[in-house]
Amino acid sequence: QVQLVESGGGLVQAGGSLRLSCAASGMLFRLYTMAWYRQAPGKQRELVASITGGGVTDYAASVKGRFTISRDNAKNTVYLQMNTLKPEDTAVYYCHGKVLNANYWGQGTQVTVSS
């Protein structure tokens, strides 16, 4: 049974930093492209950043230069380092894993950035 468990969310002031973690189990982690999505109230879920099994990364324009996605295949964990946070980064952040036709979601972790 595949599980993705996020942690690290919380309340932070604008300009601050947070690091999200997503621990995966029940899957051949190194084969999966992992990603972070977010969903703010009243908005659609959007892709924030992704990383392939080989470490190729991609970012939404709104977070490029501020967020860094990384993975540790030995620990089956993907991270999202978020710096210079802005109030508009407030959202529920979801971990996502995909390989071929299989894709899985975590339960989400709340990030709130106060102004």
Side-chain angles (χ1 to χ4, degrees), residues 25-106:
S25 60
M27 59 197 287
L28 287 173
F29 182 77
R30 66 182 186 278
L31 299 181
Y32 280 69
T33 292
M34 301 301 297
W36 290 95
Y37 286 74
R38 66 185 180 187
Q39 188 166 19
K43 294 190 176 181
Q44 286 191 329
R45 193 172 295 189
E46 63 173 355
L47 176 64
V48 175
S50 65
I51 183 168
T52 67
V56 177
T57 59
D58 192 22
Y59 296 91
S62 59
V63 306
K64 197 170 291 186
R66 299 188 297 122
F67 291 11
T68 302
I69 189 170
S70 61
R71 66 192 294 160
D72 185 336
N73 288 340
K75 295 183 178 180
N76 286 4
T77 301
V78 60
Y79 305 97
L80 186 68
Q81 178 67 43
M82 304 185 294
N83 298 329
T84 320
L85 282 160
K86 304 175 181 180
E88 51 263 44
D89 294 318
T90 295
V92 178
Y93 283 71
Y94 296 91
C95 180
H96 179 259
K98 184 180 188 303
V99 66
L100 299 177
N101 292 324
N103 72 100
Y104 303 96
W105 292 94

Side-chain angles (χ1 to χ4, degrees), residues 10-16 18 85-90 111-115:
L11 173 65
V12 64
Q13 287 190 331
L18 282 175
L85 282 160
K86 304 175 181 180
E88 51 263 44
D89 294 318
T90 295
V111 171
T112 302
V113 184
S114 63
S115 56

